[in-house]
Amino acid sequence: MSAASKKASSGEGVSKKAATAAPVPPRNESRTALVRRARRINRELAEVYPYAHPELDFENPFQLVVATVLSAQTTDLRVNQTTPALFARYPTPEDLAEANPEEVEEILRPTGFFRAKTKSVIGLSRALRDDFGGEVPGRLEDLVKLPGVGRKTAFVVLGNAFGRPGITVDTHFQRLVRRWRWTEETDPDKIEKAVGGLFPKSDWTMLSHHVIFHGRRICHARKPACGACPIAPLCPAYGEGETDPEKAKKLLKYEKGGFPGQRLNPPQAYLDAGGRPAPPLGAG
C-alpha cells in the first residue's frame, strides 16, 4: 500500500497541512493563478484518493446507465443494494423493455421516486432496443435522447464505460468547485464548461472522481472537516467547518472513518488501499 493510500484510509497525514492553512486565495485571483491552484488541488486529491472510482456497481454500459438514472435523489449505496435483483431478473435492455412496470416498481421501491424511475429505465431500455440495436450508444448526442438521461448521466457513462472524457457535475461537484472559487456559476452546464476550461480534457473523468470522493468523505455540505482536509492551504472556504484536527477527524466518512464505501463490488485498487465493500441490502 502506498503512503498516500495509507493516509487516505487512516485519516493520518492530512491534519498537519490543514493546521497550517495559508491565507485564502484573493478574490481578484488571476486566471493563471486560478488554473495553477485548481490543478494543484486535483494533484493533491489524486494522492489522497489514488483509488477514486465511480461508486455505482456495474458490469457493462447498460447496467451503468440504468444505475446512474436510479441514483437520482438517493445514495449510490442504496442503488448498489437494489440493482442486483433488477439485473438478475432483467439482464438486457430487451428484457427490461418488456417488463411489467408494477414488478419493476416493487424492486426499485427502496431507491425512492420509484414510479418515475421505473418509467425512465423501461423507457430507456425500449429506446435502446428500438433505436440502438440493444446497445448503449457511445456518443453524448445519442445518450441524452434516452428517457431519464441528461448530460450528467451521459458523462458518467461516457467516462466510465467508454473511456471518453467528461465532467460529472453532481451535487458534491457543484458544492466543492464553488467553495474553491473555481467558478461562481450555478447552472450545471455552465459549471461543466467553466471547470472544464481549467483542465486538460484528459483529466476530466478522474477529476470528477477526485472531487466527488472528497465531497463525500471530507468536504461535507453541513459540517466540512476543514481540520482534516489535505487541501486546506488551497481552499478559500477554510474555516467554514471544524478546524480542530482531532474533532475534524471524527467527521470523516466512509473508508476514512473506518466504514465501507458505496460499492458491493469495489475495484481491487480500493480494496488494496484498505477500503471495504458495502453490505448487501438487508445486511446493515
Side-chain angles (χ1 to χ4, degrees), residues 50-83:
Y51 45 79
H53 57 270
E55 293 196 90
L56 288 168
D57 282 324
F58 69 98
E59 296 179 356
N60 54 56
F62 172 61
Q63 291 189 0
L64 180 56
V65 70
V66 170
T68 307
V69 169
L70 297 179
S71 68
Q73 304 298 315
T74 191
T75 64
D76 286 355
L77 172 57
R78 178 58 65 181
V79 174
N80 291 338
Q81 293 172 325
T82 304
T83 50

Side-chain angles (χ1 to χ4, degrees), residues 120 123-124 127-128 131-132 137 139-151 154:
S120 291
L124 73 84
L128 292 175
D131 302 332
F132 298 100
R139 299 194 312 165
L140 175 65
E141 54 266 40
D142 292 329
L143 283 167
V144 295
K145 294 177 183 177
L146 300 174
V149 177
R151 290 178 68 87

Side-chain angles (χ1 to χ4, degrees), residues 1 43 47 55 66 90 111 138 189 198 212 223 226 251:
M1 185 187 299
R43 290 195 300 271
E47 290 185 9
E55 293 196 90
V66 170
Y90 311 106
T111 68
D189 291 351
L198 302 176
I212 293 169
K223 290 186 178 180
C226 294
L251 299 174

Side-chain angles (χ1 to χ4, degrees), residues 29-39 181-182 198:
E29 184 177 33
S30 70
R31 174 73 179 181
T32 299
L34 171 59
V35 169
R36 288 175 177 169
R37 182 169 62 86
R39 294 184 182 186
R181 292 189 197 155
W182 288 4
L198 302 176

Side-chain angles (χ1 to χ4, degrees), residues 189-260:
D189 291 351
K190 292 181 179 179
I191 291 173
E192 173 197 322
K193 182 178 180 180
V195 174
L198 302 176
F199 295 88
K201 194 172 183 179
S202 58
D203 288 353
W204 287 358
T205 298
M206 285 309 300
L207 167 70
S208 300
H209 293 325
H210 296 152
V211 174
I212 293 169
F213 254 60
H214 193 61
R216 285 176 169 167
R217 287 153 174 77
I218 293 180
C219 196
H220 313 133
R222 295 183 180 178
K223 290 186 178 180
C226 294
C229 180
I231 60 164
L234 302 169
C235 180
Y238 176 79
E240 287 187 8
E242 179 58 64
T243 58
D244 179 86
E246 292 306 314
K247 292 180 180 178
K249 190 179 294 187
K250 294 178 181 179
L251 299 174
L252 303 181
K253 295 182 179 180
Y254 302 128
E255 78 278 5
K256 295 181 72 62
F259 299 106

